[in-house]
Amino acid sequence: MKQTAIIASAILALGLLALGLCIRSGIDFAASRDRTVDVRGLAEREVPANVVTWPIMFKEVGNSLPAVYANVSATNQRIVDFLKANGLTDQEISIGAPKVQDLTTDRYNNQPLPYNYAITSVVTVSSRKVKEVHALINRQGELFAQGIAISNDYNYQITYDFTELNSIKPEMIAEATQNAREAAKKFADDSDSSLGKIKTARQGQFSIEDRDATTPYIKKVRVVTSLTYYLED
């Protein structure tokens, strides 16, 4: 009986020891899993815009509405002829409905009117021939020479766009992730740790902006990824 009790006690003691070791190991494992590092990875690229929109806006004024409208139609045609003579097609050119203003109906104006009507017209170029259209924009003085007074208006701004983001997304995400990993690896090395697996990952929003104010036809694409890595001993 005494020998049996001793054996049972020994087995119980070994069991408690093993349980303690398992608990300790679990605590150490849980503690190690709480050691993490948060990093961000940046990827940037400069890309040429692939779509340009050029609104060509002008006004005609006069006292006879039919005469003013005839002048608008003639000016529209001259603009279209200029654009087509320089390589643009009908599919890239559109003419908006004219905006007519009857100045005689302005009840707040008590001054004599130099003319009764003003018509605003917009010929819009929308094209993927960015370089060619940009060159034409720099040559719009040729329209001035024809007596076409192109107006500048906040509502009709030249815009350059990049619409092929999906073609570079995978490479940029991979680059941002690699940059984040390199930052995490440096942190792990400096803290005498090893870099573990990714705990969480979040892809930031892609942004597309002008590279600068003078070159709106060159875009800067940017994305930031946020990752959390486990650190191991």
Side-chain angles (χ1 to χ4, degrees):
M1 292 293 291
K2 183 180 293 186
Q3 185 177 3
T4 301
I6 293 174
I7 293 174
S9 298
I11 293 174
L12 179 60
L14 289 173
L16 292 174
L17 177 61
L19 178 60
L21 291 174
C22 288
I23 293 174
R24 179 177 178 182
S25 177
I27 293 173
D28 290 343
F29 177 77
S32 66
R33 298 298 285 179
D34 287 338
R35 296 178 58 218
T36 60
V37 57
D38 297 323
V39 290
R40 290 186 176 183
L42 170 66
E44 287 184 331
R45 287 194 182 183
E46 289 185 0
V47 296
N50 66 312
V51 176
V52 58
T53 302
W54 177 23
I56 306 172
M57 190 265 284
F58 66 93
K59 292 183 179 182
E60 292 283 352
V61 296
N63 292 319
S64 169
L65 185 57
V68 176
Y69 182 76
N71 289 339
V72 168
S73 298
T75 301
N76 282 338
Q77 190 58 54
R78 282 189 289 164
I79 293 173
V80 171
D81 290 344
F82 169 78
L83 297 173
K84 294 176 72 172
N86 287 280
L88 297 182
T89 65
D90 289 330
Q91 290 71 30
E92 297 168 302
I93 305 168
S94 63
I95 301 175
K99 180 181 178 182
V100 180
Q101 186 178 9
D102 184 351
L103 302 177
T104 63
T105 62
D106 185 0
R107 60 181 180 176
Y108 298 105
N109 182 32
N110 297 320
Q111 302 299 320
L113 296 174
Y115 42 77
N116 295 331
Y117 300 101
I119 297 181
T120 301
S121 182
V122 181
V123 178
T124 302
V125 174
S126 181
S127 174
R128 290 182 174 269
K129 302 172 185 174
V130 176
K131 291 183 178 179
E132 292 84 347
V133 174
H134 181 68
L136 282 181
I137 292 172
N138 291 331
R139 290 172 50 199
Q140 61 184 301
E142 295 176 26
L143 294 175
F144 300 158
Q146 297 183 38
I148 301 174
I150 299 175
S151 302
N152 292 320
D153 190 285
Y154 178 80
N155 296 315
Y156 300 102
Q157 297 292 313
I158 301 169
T159 59
Y160 296 87
D161 297 295
F162 177 69
T163 63
E164 298 178 353
L165 179 60
N166 286 338
S167 66
I168 62 173
K169 260 187 177 182
E171 292 182 2
M172 290 193 65
I173 292 172
E175 181 183 342
T177 302
Q178 179 60 30
N179 290 339
R181 180 176 178 80
E182 291 175 0
K185 182 68 167 57
K186 181 65 167 59
F187 182 90
D189 292 343
D190 291 344
S191 60
D192 294 327
S193 301
S194 298
L195 192 64
K197 295 182 178 181
I198 293 176
K199 179 182 179 182
T200 60
R202 182 173 59 84
Q203 176 193 316
Q205 292 285 338
F206 275 83
S207 64
I208 303 176
E209 300 175 346
D210 296 345
R211 183 180 66 177
D212 53 58
T214 60
T215 56
Y217 46 87
I218 299 178
K219 301 296 180 180
K220 178 179 287 187
V221 184
R222 187 175 187 270
V223 65
V224 177
T225 58
S226 300
L227 296 96
T228 300
Y229 284 90
Y230 287 112
L231 295 177
E232 301 172 352
D233 290 333

